[in-house]
Amino acid sequence: MDSKFYKGLDAKGQEKGLLKKHGDTYASKNASGTGPFIVTERQQGVRVDFERFDGYWDKKSPGNVDEIVLTPIKEGPTRVAALLSGDVDFIFPVPPNDHDRIKKSANTDLVTLGGTRIISFQLNQERVEAFKDKRVRQAVNYAINNEGIVKKIMKGFATPAGQQGPKGYAGYVDDLQPRYDLKKAKQLMKEAGYEAGFSITMMAPNNRYVNDAKIAQAVASMLSKINIKVDLKTLPKAQYWPEFDERSADMMMIGWHSDTEDSANFTEYLTACADEVSGWGQYNSGNYCNEVVDTLVKKAGSETDPATRTQVLQDVERKLYEEAAFVPLHWQNLAWGASKNVAAKDVVNVMNFPYLGDLVIKE
């Protein structure tokens, strides 16, 4: 943030530099930066208009786009239809069911990349006594068919996950694979004294991740096979995140991409002991806490030898796997759709931050 631009009070008497989640602040409506575009109009939830910034510092940028209109289209099929009809030029995400439609069109291209965003569920140990038992958490993991979800719901457009970080990240462990085994799940429930099962609530978004609501429905169905009865509620993301912050259900979905491209970032936010001061565990709705894990991640943060650091983070992944600290489902792949004259392939990346400043529209 530009300290000079955000200095002083706004019309409401609030500090211009105030950052507030889900809040109506000056900073949330007044942009300041050095990017290739400036915001000329914003209708929240409807559209955002951008105009190219003449004073942009990168004079070698190949980008030739002067204006961009960003239009939120919540439903996947509607989004795809808008692209195919020519109403829009560039969309994300493209649901797996619609990949072939875009591929077969003479006017559009499908651009795909392997993704690194983990889609997972967290088990709230403060709300459900059974989730404090490692055997029950393990049983939940054994009861969920990750590969089945990827094959049937994601149409193969995802990678089944057994840990936080995908292959290629520091901390990835080859032998930590998805562990679907319904017989083993039932055995663990019996050993823990929960053979008769119990009831829980579950929440998930229905327009944040690819097929998120369908995934939640599938997981709820799978858990019924070990006598865990699920009361599922799915919500639009704007309504879901305040509920997530309140830890409003016993089992909640969250997806996460590591900004640092290694597994430490996952742990710091998703599985570390919650600490309001440091921000660690900020998105740990399961309230899992293991001081040994936190100590290891902090050690990795100060370790300068890459090989040693990788070993430390692998120890973290092994510990989380053994304790079934959370429920990993899959790493979500990325798919964009674009008109033939839009050079989308040149600006997309696995971080899913398309660099529109360099976007070229072919004449």
Side-chain angles (χ1 to χ4, degrees), residues 22 45 72-75 79 202-209 212-213 216 232-245 252-253:
H22 310 303
I73 304 177
K74 296 180 180 180
E75 299 299 326
R79 195 182 312 121
M202 175 190 288
M203 279 189 182
N206 55 26
N207 64 352
R208 173 61 184 92
Y209 311 115
D212 41 17
L232 170 63
K233 184 177 182 179
T234 64
L235 300 166
K237 59 186 177 183
Q239 299 173 33
Y240 179 70
W241 292 119
E243 296 288 352
F244 185 92
D245 289 341
M252 303 195 80
M253 177 184 285

Side-chain angles (χ1 to χ4, degrees), residues 37 63 98 115 137 223 256 259 267 272 309 355:
F37 294 94
D98 292 310
R137 300 195 303 271
L223 292 182
W256 194 267
D259 295 333
T267 309
R309 185 171 186 274
Y355 194 71

Side-chain angles (χ1 to χ4, degrees), residues 75-81 83-84 91 93-105 108-110 153-155 157 210-211 214 335-337:
E75 299 299 326
T78 306
R79 195 182 312 121
V80 172
L83 175 67
L84 294 175
I91 65 170
V94 179
N97 286 342
D98 292 310
H99 287 191
D100 285 344
R101 293 177 63 194
I102 292 179
K103 287 180 182 178
K104 292 176 180 178
S105 171
T108 57
D109 287 324
L110 181 73
I153 297 177
M154 299 301 292
K155 304 301 181 184
F157 197 66
V210 177
N211 293 331
K214 291 180 180 179
W336 299 265

Side-chain angles (χ1 to χ4, degrees), residues 294-306:
D294 287 17
T295 299
L296 286 170
V297 177
K298 290 173 183 176
K299 179 181 178 181
S302 60
E303 178 56 62
T304 58
D305 179 66

Side-chain angles (χ1 to χ4, degrees), residues 13 33 42 62 66 90 99 121 148 151 154 158 170 177-179 205-206 217 244 305 346 353 363:
R42 177 174 181 259
D66 295 324
F90 191 13
H99 287 191
F121 271 104
K151 182 178 180 180
M154 299 301 292
Q177 298 297 319
R179 43 186 159 181
N206 55 26
Q217 291 164 5
F244 185 92
D305 179 66
D346 297 334
F353 296 139
E363 300 297 335

Side-chain angles (χ1 to χ4, degrees), residues 132-146:
K132 293 180 179 179
D133 193 316
K134 178 177 69 174
R135 294 167 296 182
V136 174
R137 300 195 303 271
Q138 290 173 337
V140 170
N141 276 273
Y142 277 110
I144 296 172
N145 187 350
N146 305 50

Side-chain angles (χ1 to χ4, degrees), residues 30 47 56 68 90 108 160 181 191 211 259 261 269 349 354:
N30 295 269
R47 63 183 287 167
Y56 181 46
I68 293 176
F90 191 13
T108 57
D181 185 335
E191 290 178 4
N211 293 331
D259 295 333
E261 299 289 304
Y269 286 97
N349 49 65

Side-chain angles (χ1 to χ4, degrees), residues 7-8 53 62 67 97 100 108 121 134 159-160 178 194 237-238 260 314 325 332 338 341 345 358:
K7 188 176 181 179
F53 176 39
E67 296 180 1
N97 286 342
D100 285 344
T108 57
F121 271 104
K134 178 177 69 174
T159 305
Y194 291 100
K237 59 186 177 183
T260 57
Q314 286 178 331
Q332 177 180 287
N341 66 330
K345 187 176 181 180
D358 287 346

